[in-house]
């Protein structure tokens, strides 16, 4: 069987890397990888770390290009790859323009699509924008719907889509587990990481920030930056912020925050260093999908800078809270975690609502029509990394 994996951004690459590895280990599967290059630097960081050499690279990134330009480029360039590879299955991930474009191209060619991370929903078409729309289009077209959790599978059942629904757990937990094990088993690596972040004052608590949602550009980004400025006045706190390369993020963040000595603006980190950072800090403030899934496994409290999230499992478990992009709400949320130890402890409970580290194996088993046990949340109690 020939399986073509298509991805193009940082989070897709992190979450598809364990799947590609599992595909490669199957003698009956020929695994082919096509990256769109929707991201360049941030994608290449992940490819290097997971040792993936793509068979095709569509190199579509342009500085701040429009979604329509991006979509048109991917659809037209991927057509030739599909014609040449003639895959039995194309695997796409999540909700990016890369995943949506590849799915539309496959649908037009009547090629079977496997959607990794299917069924996440806010049921608000503009939050996250354009991802909620992308994800729904892919799910309509997919033959195999790899839902990470029971809730995402329930969404798909309610929508009465045509694809087969398989509950796998989220592959991000596979990637995280492999990375945590790598750091834990190599004292030299850990030493290097300690040295890399030696600028963090060990006597202060640390807030890790990431943010890049398109619906937050403009006023939302300003609200976030003002909150960070206010929080940076505390002398018991340091803020570390790897700034996403999107110019709509870079400009306001660098303009407003670069002169503050309590705020460390750093480059996007390679996955290993970012996992180390998540583990090292006290609180995470983010609008990222992947970070919301990873942090509970590491026992780190997360405040999500969105009004709604398509990942409600950790909120229901009481370890993640939404704070939107309003300055006061963010400041109050972080302050309460910093100043109320009991409240902090109630959030800092390690658990794995999103996966158990075997999602990729389940996906590959399903493609090969092999029998396997679906992922069951908290089946054997709460186990964390
Ligand atoms: C994309 C995805 C979003 C995902 C996010 C992860 C879409 C519509 N959005 O958003 O779902 O959560 O990636 O990060 O698919 N850039 C660089 N170098 C890089 C990466 C980005 O310079 O390595 C700059 C470029 O100017 C690029 C811009 O950032 O045009 C935006 O990138 P793009 O992929 O269009 O959207 P994101 O906002 O990153
Ligand atoms: N991440 C990383 N380096 C960073 C910031 C994030 O490797 O500097 C990882 C993070 O651990 C998670 C993924 O990137 O696995 C999330 O990517 P992003 O926030 O860009 O996208 P989203 O998850 O919101 O789609």
């Amino acid at each position: 069987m020939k399986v073509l994996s298509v991805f193009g951004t940082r989070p897709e690459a992190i979450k598809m890397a364990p799947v590609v590895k599992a595909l490669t280990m199957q003698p009956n599967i020929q695994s082919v990888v096509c990256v769109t290059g929707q991201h360049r630097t941030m994608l290449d960081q992940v490819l290097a770390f997971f040792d993936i050499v793509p068979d095709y690279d569509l190199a579509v990134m342009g500085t701040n290009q429009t979604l329509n330009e991006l979509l048109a480029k991917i659809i037209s360039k991927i057509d030739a790859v599909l014609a040449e590879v003639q895959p039995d299955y194309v695997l796409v991930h999540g909700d990016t323009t890369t995943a949506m474009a590849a799915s539309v191209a496959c649908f037009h060619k009547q090629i079977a699509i496997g959607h990794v991370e299917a069924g996440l929903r806010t049921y608000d078409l503009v939050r996250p924008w354009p991802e909620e729309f992308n994800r729904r289009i892919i799910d309509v077209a997919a033959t195999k719907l790899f839902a990470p959790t029971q809730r995402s599978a329930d969404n798909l059942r309610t929508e009465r889509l045509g694809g087969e629904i398989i509950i796998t757990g989220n592959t991000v937990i596979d990637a995280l587990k492999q990375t945590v094990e790598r750091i834990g088993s190599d004292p030299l690596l850990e030493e290097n990481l300690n040295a890399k972040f030696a600028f963090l004052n060990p006597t202060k608590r640390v807030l890790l920030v990431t943010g890049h949602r398109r619906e937050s550009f403009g006023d939302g980004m300003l609200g976030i930056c003002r909150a960070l400025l206010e929080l940076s006045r505390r002398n018991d706190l340091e803020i570390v912020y790897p700034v996403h390369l999107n110019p709509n993020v870079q400009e306001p963040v660098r303009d407003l925050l670069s002169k503050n000595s309590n705020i460390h603006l750093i480059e996007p980190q390679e996955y290993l260093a970012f996992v180390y950072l998540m583990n090292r800090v006290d609180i995470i403030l983010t609008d990222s999908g992947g970070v919301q899934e990873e942090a509970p496994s590491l026992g780190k409290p997360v405040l999500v800078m969105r009004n709604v999230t398509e990942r409600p499992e950790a909120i229901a478990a009481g370890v993640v809270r939404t704070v939107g992009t309003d300055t006061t709400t963010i400041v109050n949320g972080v302050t309460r975690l910093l100043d109320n130890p009991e409240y902090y402890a109630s959030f800092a409970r390690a658990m794995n609502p999103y996966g158990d580290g075997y999602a990729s194996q389940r996906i590959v088993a399903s493609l090969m029509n092999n029998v396997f046990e679906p992922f069951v949340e908290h089946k054997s109690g709460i186990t964390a990394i």
Side-chain angles (χ1 to χ4, degrees):
M1 186 195 310
K2 212 184 253 185
V3 180
L4 175 66
S5 303
V6 181
F7 48 91
T9 65
R10 169 172 69 192
E12 291 172 281
I14 291 169
K15 291 168 164 188
M16 284 301 288
V19 179
V20 169
K21 200 186 253 181
L23 287 168
T24 315
M25 284 163 74
Q26 283 299 332
N28 298 334
I29 290 182
Q30 186 185 345
S31 167
V32 184
V33 173
C34 172
V35 296
T36 61
Q38 177 177 336
H39 286 173
R40 190 69 280 161
T41 314
M42 287 157 56
L43 170 72
D44 291 345
Q45 279 179 332
V46 183
L47 294 175
F49 175 63
F50 286 102
D51 219 2
I52 295 175
V53 181
D55 301 283
Y56 297 89
D57 188 334
L58 308 184
V60 298
M61 198 189 89
T63 303
N64 218 3
Q65 64 194 335
T66 67
L67 291 173
N68 286 334
E69 284 170 321
L70 178 62
L71 178 68
K73 272 193 207 170
I74 298 172
I75 291 195
S76 70
K77 287 193 170 191
I78 207 166
D79 208 36
V81 177
L82 296 175
E84 188 171 305
V85 177
Q86 303 266 324
D88 298 295
Y89 257 98
V90 169
L91 295 185
V92 297
H93 181 277
D95 54 16
T96 64
T97 299
T98 284
M100 189 265 273
S103 302
V104 172
C106 287
F107 180 71
H108 286 161
K109 282 185 136 50
Q110 289 293 283
I111 297 170
I113 301 162
H115 188 196
V116 181
E117 203 184 76
L120 276 65
R121 298 285 188 270
T122 61
Y123 291 106
D124 178 344
L125 261 187
V126 291
R127 286 187 193 86
W129 180 86
E131 289 84 0
E132 173 82 4
F133 172 79
N134 288 346
R135 204 182 282 272
R136 289 203 221 170
I137 289 184
I138 303 164
D139 285 338
V140 168
T143 305
K144 283 192 183 267
L145 295 154
F146 298 114
T149 64
Q150 186 64 53
R151 275 180 200 240
S152 45
D154 288 346
N155 292 337
L156 295 166
R157 281 191 204 104
T158 309
E159 291 171 26
R160 303 176 60 159
L161 300 175
E164 178 194 1
I165 300 165
I166 304 111
I167 304 179
T168 59
N170 199 305
T171 58
V172 79
I173 304 301
D174 304 13
L176 182 64
K177 240 179 172 163
Q178 288 163 20
T179 307
V180 167
E181 278 162 18
R182 206 143 132 188
I183 299 174
S185 66
D186 186 344
L188 190 63
L189 198 58
E190 202 161 2
E191 227 171 84
N192 288 342
L193 289 164
N194 284 332
K196 183 177 165 84
F197 295 105
F199 62 84
L200 292 172
N201 183 335
T203 66
K204 293 188 181 185
R205 282 176 290 174
V206 183
L207 174 69
L208 172 64
V209 183
T210 78
H212 65 82
R213 296 256 76 86
R214 281 168 185 259
E215 65 272 19
S216 303
F217 291 170
D219 287 349
M221 286 306 302
L222 287 180
I224 293 167
C225 290
R226 288 194 187 115
L228 297 180
L229 281 175
E230 204 166 322
L231 288 164
S232 74
R233 292 208 208 108
R234 290 182 68 120
N235 55 18
D236 61 346
L237 181 72
E238 278 192 315
I239 298 170
V240 59
Y241 184 170
V243 189
H244 194 284
L245 292 177
N246 194 320
N248 299 290
V249 178
Q250 286 277 334
E251 279 162 28
V253 169
R254 301 226 174 250
D255 279 357
L256 291 165
L257 305 180
S258 60
K259 291 191 185 71
N260 193 305
S261 62
N262 269 344
I263 304 178
H264 305 279
L265 300 182
I266 59 177
E267 298 299 311
Q269 296 297 297
E270 59 153 348
Y271 191 55
L272 186 81
F274 192 74
V275 169
Y276 169 90
L277 260 185
M278 284 194 288
N279 225 353
R280 161 87 192 267
V281 303
D282 297 279
I283 303 171
I284 301 175
L285 182 62
T286 187
D287 61 20
S288 158
V291 176
Q292 283 178 67
E293 292 156 344
E294 293 162 331
S297 292
L298 301 169
K300 298 296 169 178
V302 179
L303 298 177
V304 177
M305 297 184 288
R306 304 191 195 182
N307 295 320
V308 285
T309 173
E310 65 282 35
R311 294 167 168 91
E313 291 84 351
I315 291 187
V319 297
V320 168
R321 221 190 98 196
T322 54
V323 289
T325 56
D326 172 66
T327 302
T328 309
T329 315
I330 295 174
V331 172
N332 289 345
V334 175
T335 305
R336 190 169 172 203
L337 281 169
L338 287 170
D339 293 343
N340 183 337
E342 277 172 23
Y343 183 68
Y344 183 91
S346 75
F347 269 76
R349 290 178 288 118
M351 60 173 66
N352 280 332
Y354 296 107
D356 57 2
Y358 298 100
S360 308
Q361 270 100 321
R362 292 191 183 97
I363 290 166
V364 174
S366 165
L367 288 171
M368 296 176 68
N369 290 320
N370 289 344
V371 181
F372 60 93
E373 272 188 47
F375 168 63
V376 181
E377 212 176 313
H378 307 320
K379 184 185 169 195
S380 49
I382 291 166
T383 48
I385 287 173

